[in-house]
Amino acid sequence: MLHIKCPYCGLRPQTEFSYGGDATVKRPELNKEVSDQDWDNFVYLRKSPRGKHLELWQHISGCRQWIKVERDTLTHEISTTYKANENI
Amino acid sequence: MKYLQHTKQTKIYKMSENFRLDKGGLINRNKKISFKFNGKKYFGYEGDTLASALLANGVHLVGRSFKYHRPRGFFGAGVDEPYAIVQMNRNNEVDPNVRATEQELFEGLEAKSVNCWPNVNFDIGAINNFLNIFFPAGFYYKTFMWPKSFWYKIYEPIIRKAAGFGAASIKHDKERYEHKYEYCDLLIAGTGPSGLASAYAAAKNGAKVILAEDKSRYGGSLLTSEVTIGNQSGKEWAEQIISELKSMPNVIVKNRSQVFGYYDHNMLVMSERVSDHLPKTDKYTPKQRLWYIRAEQVIISSGSIERPLVFGNNDAPGVMLSSAAKEYLKIYGVLVGKNPIVFTNNDSGYETAIEFKKNGVDPIILDTRKDANSEIIKEAKELNINIKFSYVVVAAKGYKKVNSADIAKISDDKKVISNIENIKCDCICVSGFWTPTIHLASQSGSKTKFNEEIDAFVPSISKQKETTLGSANGVFTLEETLKTSFEKGSELSKQITNKENKISIPTVVEKKSSKHDKFWCVPLPEGKNYKRFLDFQNDVAVSDIQLALREGYRSIEHVKRYTTLGMATDQGKTSNLNGLQLVSEVENKVVPQVGHTTFRPPYTPVSIGAIVGREVGKHSKPTRKSPMHHWHEKNNAVFVDAGVWLRPRYYKRGNENLFEASKREAKNVRQNVGVCDVTTLGKIDIKGPDSAEFLNRVYTNAWLKLPVGKARYGVMLREDGIVMDDGTTTRISDNHYHMTTTTAQAANVLSHLEYYLQLVWPELNVNVVSSTEQWAGAAIAGPKSREVLQKLFPDLNVSNEGLPFMGYMEGNLFGVNAKIFRISFSGELAYEVNVESDNGNYMWEKIIEIGKEFNIQPYGTEALSTLRIEMGHVAGSELDGRTIPYDNSLEGLVSKKKDFIGKRSLSKTAYIAPDRQKIVGVVPIDKKTSIPEGSYLVKDAKAKLPNPKLGHVSASCWSVEYDNPFSLAILKDGKNMIGKKLFAMSPLKNKVIPVEIVSSHYVDPKGERVRS
């Protein structure tokens, strides 16, 4: 079970969080023309990197904040966690 | 072949039982305990295990082997035991897969052998032993391949019946199991010398320590070895350290606790056998407790397990590890035999022989080494123990118990055996040196390395914060173990507590050992094909591995799976290394090239009950009840699970069944007025100046111009265009909205909103919070609902003009603040009244009281469904994660002007196909047969399978308006199918029903009633 450091609440067990996928995906802006390809990339296509991966988790049983977690998909090592609006 | 006389026994000992010594051991001889094994009554002492008590009674035959059903006895004295697996009967529960070597004796214990029928002495399955030529490695794959049709009906049932040790109960397990979560600075697994020393040092530095021991007694090897620490014996020293640790507030000491799994981020799981050693579990005491421990640092002091030597028939009862024989002697005062052979390639066997000799039994030592000298060997010689160097056991003789052994001289190159002779014996104690227990270290992700010195793998580079110490790390001298353990315990704890309490390391007196012999497998004598077993639990012999390699299996992982080496419940604790040695020998490789198979948790079998803990039955999820629950109960509500909520399904009157009651309730809504508990609806409070803009992006329809005091129905999509949820949202004030969601999606919708506010549009100044629990809700529906409402709020103007459809107002319900929404799910004139949860029951009783004169009746979810289905209102069964707004005839709510979540996806080719699926109504042509939900709609009922599916029935009801069955369906090209005749097929219910497709708005298609 992972141990995730919520930037607001501190180290908490994984069971308090829910996974939210790739944190590097950026939603296309509203009211802007988006090509089929770009939209498909945004909605469906995800990389499955071996190694460091920036991902979203929500502390659903805690402060309910969405946070960004840099986790190594191979070793499960978590190097850093960020607040949602932090510049990385 | 000549018989060697080796029976001169000096009878200086008396035995109270057959094989129990008069004194010695750590058992409590003042407390005699009776127990039953295979129906027969025996006696033992407090402090015995089932294994030691049986051995004391001379019982060696305890089971049958997995494949060949060969007689099996005891091989070890602890977790490594591959044979003595019994089925326990305790507390009126059966417990399979219990190792007799770990099961402590208690008064009235009952156990029996497994894998034998009709009994352990006469086992029909033993015929496999004589047919063993048909059971080579991989026999499952070879034998049961043809004819193919035999698999399901003949082969599989027989294999299933033959497989496994023991039988799990099919009854509900009434025992109590608990889970516990714990944090600590240091978790130390094992209380041998390294565990005790490191725990002591860490505890003295103020660290929070958990020290776990799988056995009932602390001390590990110190309990059986002849050493001195300071001025105490090893055992005394262990006792003193343990009692000191127990008295410290920062230390948790646990026995009968197996740390069995090492997971990510230093999370370890430990199973504590709380009551397994007691006759009965107290009502509130658990049988077992699972500990989830998050440790800052972990010290693995799991010790080592003796390796077997491999020779002919080395599985016969009476052949056992020499360390086990020593343990039975020193801890339980039990002789495993009175005429023992000790067969060894190192000095450990000598220690066992010396113990036998000291207790009046004459052993013979066969040492594979040409010669060896050490303090221990010297002591054995001084005791006049018969030692034969360059000697081996070729084969054990005796079927249900060893009665003699063929022994032989072995050449210096260990290839040739000669001078075979048969000598009498009643047990053979084997020692093939020691294998460090690296399971936990390996599970943690540590790299392992092969240590040539000890012919075994040891942990090398750590991945997580763990350190392996003592013999688990391949260190076999006590002096070095204690020194490194004190130091490591101090160093690791100092990093955490910043305190250092210097401890002087005690002086150690121990006997030095000489080097062990790498020899481990005795060659077969000419003309003999004895089975030489590697894996004792799964019956894997040397010949099986050789066959697998001949057949082309190379990777050790493949060899393992093909032969089942190391795959049994003991996970190869005694077999893995010998298997690797054999593979490397045959393949002409060195062991590290072959590598080892992956160690996976659990180290020892864990009860399913312990894994589940207390989350069984209705405790597997929380149960949520509305504030009106008690009223529903009192009024004969029959409840249904709606997510985690309990909701009234219908209110039973007299002998009514579900169908009759729900019809009555629904009809009453259409004719008079009904009231339904809608507390379970998800509610989200939305506040902030950008709330309107936010809702405009979340919902598919327009929200910017919704005036204060008005509600609006909205649909929200996922980014892929699929409908996520629907509900009404009301503008309470300028910057304050009250959103409702479906019961099931409430949590997901909140997360969804938070996602967009926190991550995508953080510039929007909006706050959302769940207010589901804050409000109790009642839907008052039916043509007479306005009259009820007027009486509830006499001061308010609730006329069609004062409170129009989708209007909202606040009122005072007999002293209680209430929110009134004119919204309708039933399709009738309807209102929803919300009050603070604490006032829910008060509101409900007022509604019932005041509604009496209008014939109000409460209605449950079944009537609620009927009402919405015949109105064509979609719900969860249509918004099932596969439909877009068009499919649900909600395309009118999709704004063309503005952008919103998921809009871009709606232009996907499949979503705009002209024959896109759409919701329709379905009526059986006979107007009588109800259509099962989930039925497929097809054009031709008699078409060849697979019959092309045109759509599926999503929801069915009995229309109270027309008094005939009515269903909703999602149908391909639904738009153009109205009036068409199709068939609804339900292979599950074996029904084919001719149906007509109609509009989904079966009742009041123009929606006049809600606006009346």
Side-chain angles (χ1 to χ4, degrees):
Chain A
M1 197 199 296
L2 303 182
H3 215 195
I4 301 170
K5 188 176 176 187
C6 171
Y8 304 92
C9 311
L11 272 172
R12 297 298 168 107
Q14 183 186 339
T15 45
E16 290 186 13
F17 295 83
S18 102
Y19 183 68
D22 191 338
T24 61
V25 175
K26 219 175 143 44
R27 191 192 190 281
E29 271 180 59
L30 288 169
N31 303 307
K32 284 256 169 75
E33 191 103 337
V34 189
S35 71
D36 283 352
Q37 188 59 52
D38 287 349
W39 186 255
D40 278 358
N41 285 344
F42 159 64
V43 177
Y44 299 107
L45 298 180
R46 295 292 179 270
K47 289 202 176 80
S48 180
R50 181 182 190 270
K52 281 192 174 174
H53 184 227
L54 193 68
E55 54 200 23
L56 292 170
W57 290 77
Q58 190 186 14
H59 196 186
I60 46 162
S61 302
C63 62
R64 293 208 61 91
Q65 294 301 304
W66 283 90
I67 61 170
K68 291 176 185 172
V69 175
E70 189 181 68
R71 182 179 66 101
D72 190 306
T73 57
L74 190 67
T75 64
H76 291 316
E77 197 185 329
I78 291 176
S79 26
T80 331
T81 54
Y82 306 91
K83 295 177 180 177
N85 54 4
E86 235 173 296
N87 283 325
I88 301 165
Chain B
M1 198 184 292
K2 73 167 202 229
Y3 284 102
L4 186 94
Q5 283 305 311
H6 163 60
T7 47
K8 56 166 191 236
Q9 277 201 21
T10 38
K11 302 221 157 130
I12 55 160
Y13 54 88
K14 281 198 310 231
M15 273 180 259
S16 51
E17 294 158 86
N18 228 351
F19 289 85
R20 182 88 68 178
L21 294 165
D22 256 2
K23 53 179 178 14
L26 308 176
I27 48 167
N28 177 9
R29 288 172 189 266
N30 295 321
K31 199 164 170 206
K32 220 171 168 186
I33 285 176
S34 76
F35 66 100
K36 270 188 182 169
F37 183 67
N38 285 333
K40 199 176 162 202
K41 197 168 178 181
Y42 298 95
F43 289 96
Y45 291 111
E46 188 180 76
D48 260 327
T49 60
L50 177 56
S52 68
L54 283 171
L55 284 167
N57 284 282
V59 178
H60 277 262
L61 179 61
V62 287
R64 291 282 177 157
S65 75
F66 192 63
K67 203 158 109 182
Y68 303 125
H69 289 250
R70 286 161 71 108
R72 288 292 155 87
F74 298 98
F75 194 72
V79 290
D80 50 321
E81 176 59 44
Y83 299 155
I85 290 168
V86 297
Q87 179 119 355
M88 287 277 296
N89 216 333
R90 178 185 162 277
N91 232 0
N92 293 320
E93 299 283 345
V94 293
D95 209 348
N97 197 11
V98 172
R99 284 168 301 283
T101 51
E102 284 192 286
Q103 178 61 52
E104 291 168 62
L105 211 58
F106 54 77
E107 184 60 44
L109 179 148
E110 276 183 50
K112 61 174 192 181
S113 300
V114 296
N115 211 30
C116 53
W117 183 84
N119 62 53
V120 70
N121 259 306
F122 176 72
D123 174 25
I124 298 269
I127 195 160
N128 289 1
N129 188 30
F130 303 101
L131 301 174
N132 71 58
I133 189 162
F134 299 115
F135 295 92
F139 80 103
Y140 281 100
Y141 310 117
K142 291 168 180 163
T143 315
F144 303 109
M145 292 301 289
W146 36 258
K148 208 179 160 196
S149 59
F150 272 34
W151 178 252
Y152 279 113
K153 291 210 167 111
I154 298 172
Y155 295 144
E156 198 192 357
I158 292 175
I159 295 170
R160 288 217 178 276
K161 196 163 179 288
F165 287 104
S169 169
I170 54 167
K171 286 192 312 179
H172 168 70
D173 186 350
K174 288 194 201 72
E175 298 276 16
R176 188 182 170 101
Y177 299 88
E178 280 181 359
H179 285 180
K180 186 176 167 66
Y181 293 81
E182 196 60 78
Y183 283 77
C184 65
D185 295 329
L186 245 90
L187 170 65
I188 297 167
T191 66
S194 52
L196 290 175
S198 53
Y200 189 76
K204 283 282 175 195
N205 282 351
K208 192 179 172 195
V209 174
I210 297 178
L211 179 62
E213 169 59 48
D214 72 307
K215 295 199 168 193
S216 62
R217 294 177 182 84
Y218 302 100
S221 64
L222 293 172
L223 296 178
T224 55
S225 53
E226 293 291 316
V227 293
T228 313
I229 303 172
N231 51 9
Q232 294 167 300
S233 74
K235 182 175 151 284
E236 286 162 354
W237 181 80
E239 275 165 8
Q240 190 215 311
I241 295 282
I242 278 289
S243 76
E244 224 178 300
L245 287 170
K246 277 182 172 170
S247 71
M248 296 167 83
N250 52 330
V251 183
I252 296 174
V253 180
K254 280 281 160 193
N255 59 347
R256 304 186 179 98
S257 296
Q258 180 79 58
V259 180
F260 66 78
Y262 199 134
Y263 301 91
D264 287 315
H265 295 185
N266 264 25
M267 159 72 78
L268 290 94
V269 185
M270 170 171 100
S271 138
E272 182 189 0
R273 304 186 303 277
V274 185
S275 310
D276 280 349
H277 62 295
L278 303 170
K280 212 171 152 301
T281 312
D282 291 340
K283 194 170 173 201
Y284 295 112
T285 309
K287 175 177 153 74
Q288 291 174 9
R289 183 182 288 129
L290 214 60
W291 292 58
Y292 292 88
I293 303 168
R294 186 81 68 175
E296 190 64 38
Q297 287 283 353
V298 175
I299 286 178
I300 298 167
S301 47
S302 47
S304 50
I305 291 173
E306 202 165 21
R307 275 206 291 277
L309 288 169
V310 178
F311 54 88
N313 300 332
N314 57 337
D315 64 328
V319 179
M320 67 166 65
L321 292 173
S322 98
S323 58
K326 189 171 83 172
E327 193 168 331
Y328 286 119
L329 230 163
K330 292 207 77 168
I331 294 185
Y332 305 101
V334 170
L335 290 171
V336 298
K338 295 172 191 175
N339 199 1
I341 292 177
V342 175
F343 178 27
T344 187
N345 71 359
N346 69 93
D347 284 7
S348 298
Y350 286 79
E351 292 175 19
T352 305
I354 289 166
E355 288 303 324
F356 271 122
K357 185 77 183 183
K358 281 185 187 164
N359 285 287
V361 172
D362 263 344
I364 176 167
I365 297 176
L366 307 182
D367 193 328
T368 66
R369 295 175 289 188
K370 194 177 170 193
D371 195 16
N373 269 305
S374 71
E375 286 177 73
I376 300 166
I377 296 172
K378 199 171 147 228
E379 187 184 350
K381 281 178 178 164
E382 279 165 5
L383 284 166
N384 283 323
I385 293 174
N386 185 359
I387 303 169
K388 291 166 98 68
F389 285 105
S390 286
Y391 250 82
V392 294
V393 174
V394 176
K397 299 278 162 152
Y399 184 53
K400 288 178 190 169
K401 176 74 198 294
V402 170
N403 54 31
S404 68
D406 282 355
I407 66 169
K409 207 165 170 47
I410 190 151
S411 61
D412 291 351
D413 65 359
K414 315 282 187 194
K415 296 244 164 77
V416 186
I417 49 173
S418 57
N419 301 24
I420 299 177
E421 56 187 326
N422 183 276
I423 64 168
K424 295 271 171 223
C425 67
D426 62 355
C427 70
I428 302 172
C429 306
V430 295
S431 176
F433 206 53
W434 295 84
T435 308
T437 304
I438 59 168
H439 297 64
L440 284 177
S442 178
Q443 287 173 22
S444 79
S446 276
K447 292 246 183 310
T448 58
K449 63 168 188 241
F450 192 73
N451 181 337
E452 296 280 349
E453 194 105 325
I454 61 167
D455 291 328
F457 286 95
V458 290
S460 70
I461 302 159
S462 291
K463 194 189 110 182
Q464 302 199 42
K465 292 178 182 168
E466 55 81 36
T467 311
T468 304
L469 294 171
S471 67
N473 195 29
V475 177
F476 292 116
T477 67
L478 182 62
E479 191 175 7
E480 192 188 339
T481 293
L482 281 187
K483 185 171 172 287
T484 50
S485 303
F486 273 120
E487 285 168 0
K488 205 73 198 172
S490 178
E491 177 198 323
L492 291 174
S493 52
K494 192 185 145 197
Q495 289 167 7
I496 300 165
T497 63
N498 284 323
K499 275 184 228 154
E500 192 173 16
N501 235 321
K502 279 268 180 248
I503 296 166
S504 59
I505 296 167
T507 51
V508 169
V509 182
E510 63 184 318
K511 292 200 186 82
K512 300 271 181 308
S513 295
S514 55
K515 212 177 148 13
H516 80 285
D517 188 1
K518 288 182 183 295
F519 174 79
W520 62 278
C521 183
V522 181
L524 283 176
E526 216 164 295
K528 300 284 184 190
N529 63 343
Y530 300 122
K531 283 236 170 268
R532 293 171 296 170
F533 285 95
L534 290 168
D535 185 310
F536 300 101
Q537 199 175 95
N538 265 354
D539 279 0
V540 180
V542 170
S543 53
D544 293 318
I545 302 284
Q546 289 168 336
L547 178 70
L549 295 168
R550 273 205 308 281
E551 289 183 356
Y553 290 86
R554 289 293 175 272
S555 153
I556 188 67
E557 295 282 3
H558 292 159
V559 171
K560 167 182 166 174
R561 279 154 187 82
Y562 192 58
T563 61
T564 72
L565 174 82
M567 282 172 68
T569 62
D570 69 340
Q571 289 283 289
K573 292 183 180 67
T574 49
S575 65
N576 277 343
L577 258 170
N578 284 342
L580 293 180
Q581 304 216 42
L582 179 63
V583 173
S584 52
E585 255 178 46
V586 176
E587 295 276 283
N588 258 327
K589 286 180 183 166
V590 286
V591 176
Q593 270 182 310
V594 175
H596 59 76
T597 53
T598 313
F599 293 94
R600 291 193 182 86
Y603 174 64
T604 49
V606 184
S607 304
I608 301 285
I611 293 167
V612 176
R614 299 212 55 214
E615 290 162 16
V616 283
K618 68 175 179 2
H619 299 300
S620 59
K621 56 181 170 52
T623 303
R624 300 177 79 181
K625 297 171 181 171
S626 94
M628 289 84 99
H629 187 82
H630 191 54
W631 189 94
H632 303 321
E633 272 180 333
K634 274 197 308 196
N635 289 274
N636 297 324
V638 176
F639 292 93
V640 62
D641 289 323
V644 293
W645 290 91
L646 272 183
R647 294 190 74 177
R649 193 172 187 194
Y650 62 100
Y651 299 82
K652 196 179 172 84
R653 282 192 183 173
N655 289 327
E656 275 180 341
N657 60 23
L658 165 70
F659 179 69
E660 293 158 350
S662 61
K663 223 163 94 172
R664 165 182 54 74
E665 291 169 6
K667 219 173 192 162
N668 192 57
V669 173
R670 293 269 183 255
Q671 286 168 359
N672 299 307
V673 58
V675 59
C676 180
D677 186 347
V678 292
T679 303
T680 62
L681 277 187
K683 302 171 204 77
I684 296 169
D685 211 50
I686 301 173
K687 277 184 178 165
D690 296 323
S691 299
E693 173 61 27
F694 180 53
L695 290 171
N696 209 42
R697 296 177 186 186
V698 166
Y699 282 126
T700 59
N701 47 347
W703 282 80
L704 295 177
K705 288 177 186 153
L706 181 73
V708 172
K710 278 282 188 183
R712 186 164 285 177
Y713 175 73
V715 174
M716 59 178 81
L717 308 185
R718 312 190 308 216
E719 291 286 17
D720 62 359
I722 298 288
V723 177
M724 181 175 184
D725 198 44
D726 68 343
T728 57
T729 293
T730 307
R731 192 165 197 173
I732 307 285
S733 69
D734 263 355
N735 296 331
H736 183 193
Y737 290 79
H738 174 87
M739 175 186 274
T740 64
T741 72
T742 57
T743 303
Q745 290 291 341
N748 290 343
V749 170
L750 183 65
S751 275
H752 179 74
L753 300 182
E754 286 164 337
Y755 175 90
Y756 283 94
L757 285 174
Q758 294 173 23
L759 288 157
V760 185
W761 304 309
E763 69 277 9
L764 291 184
N765 189 353
V766 179
N767 280 297
V768 292
V769 67
S770 166
S771 60
T772 303
E773 282 91 348
Q774 274 63 45
W775 300 102
I780 306 168
K784 295 180 185 166
S785 57
R786 183 175 290 129
E787 291 163 79
V788 177
L789 195 74
Q790 189 65 71
K791 282 211 153 185
L792 285 169
F793 301 97
D795 303 337
L796 295 181
N797 174 11
V798 297
S799 67
N800 206 15
E801 294 71 39
L803 181 57
F805 182 54
M806 287 295 183
Y808 162 78
M809 56 171 56
E810 285 165 19
N812 184 300
L813 190 145
F814 299 99
V816 171
N817 289 330
K819 295 181 166 187
I820 310 157
F821 307 86
R822 187 171 164 190
I823 50 179
S824 175
F825 190 47
S826 58
E828 294 296 326
L829 169 67
Y831 304 88
E832 272 181 36
V833 183
N834 279 6
V835 295
E836 284 164 15
S837 287
D838 285 354
N839 301 323
N841 200 56
Y842 176 77
M843 163 185 72
W844 187 267
E845 285 182 343
K846 278 284 172 218
I847 294 170
I848 296 286
E849 182 193 320
I850 281 177
K852 211 170 254 173
E853 61 172 295
F854 306 102
N855 289 324
I856 200 165
Q857 284 180 22
Y859 64 101
T861 55
E862 199 69 23
L864 182 79
S865 292
T866 297
L867 295 166
R868 74 95 184 167
I869 292 168
E870 63 177 2
M871 278 289 166
H873 288 170
V874 291
S877 51
E878 289 76 37
L879 311 179
D880 63 353
R882 297 180 293 181
T883 54
I884 58 170
Y886 175 87
D887 305 349
N888 295 294
S889 285
L890 296 170
E891 65 274 22
L893 288 170
V894 177
S895 165
K896 293 208 168 63
K897 292 188 193 127
K898 56 141 195 176
D899 200 359
F900 53 85
I901 294 168
K903 184 177 190 182
R904 178 65 181 79
S905 289
L906 293 180
S907 56
K908 281 203 287 200
T909 318
Y911 289 178
I912 53 172
D915 62 348
R916 176 76 198 173
Q917 62 180 11
K918 198 171 187 55
I919 189 167
V920 292
V922 182
V923 178
I925 289 178
D926 68 359
K927 301 259 173 128
K928 278 187 199 123
T929 315
S930 288
I931 306 164
E933 289 175 353
S935 297
Y936 275 16
L937 294 172
V938 298
K939 204 170 171 189
D940 175 6
K942 297 201 171 86
K944 238 181 89 183
L945 294 175
N947 196 341
K949 170 198 166 194
L950 300 177
H952 73 274
V953 172
S954 58
S956 290
C957 73
W958 190 276
S959 164
V960 288
E961 186 88 7
Y962 297 106
D963 203 23
N964 58 252
F966 175 75
S967 298
L968 292 175
I970 307 284
L971 180 63
K972 191 174 180 186
D973 199 18
K975 186 173 66 174
N976 298 315
M977 295 295 277
I978 310 293
K980 295 261 163 63
K981 297 205 163 65
L982 298 173
F983 295 91
M985 296 187 75
S986 174
L988 269 179
K989 305 250 162 121
N990 202 20
K991 275 189 177 170
V992 179
I993 305 162
V995 297
E996 186 183 346
I997 304 303
V998 298
S999 159
S1000 59
H1001 298 292
Y1002 198 42
V1003 175
D1004 189 23
K1006 289 190 183 144
E1008 284 164 349
R1009 294 181 192 180
V1010 293
R1011 293 178 176 82
S1012 64

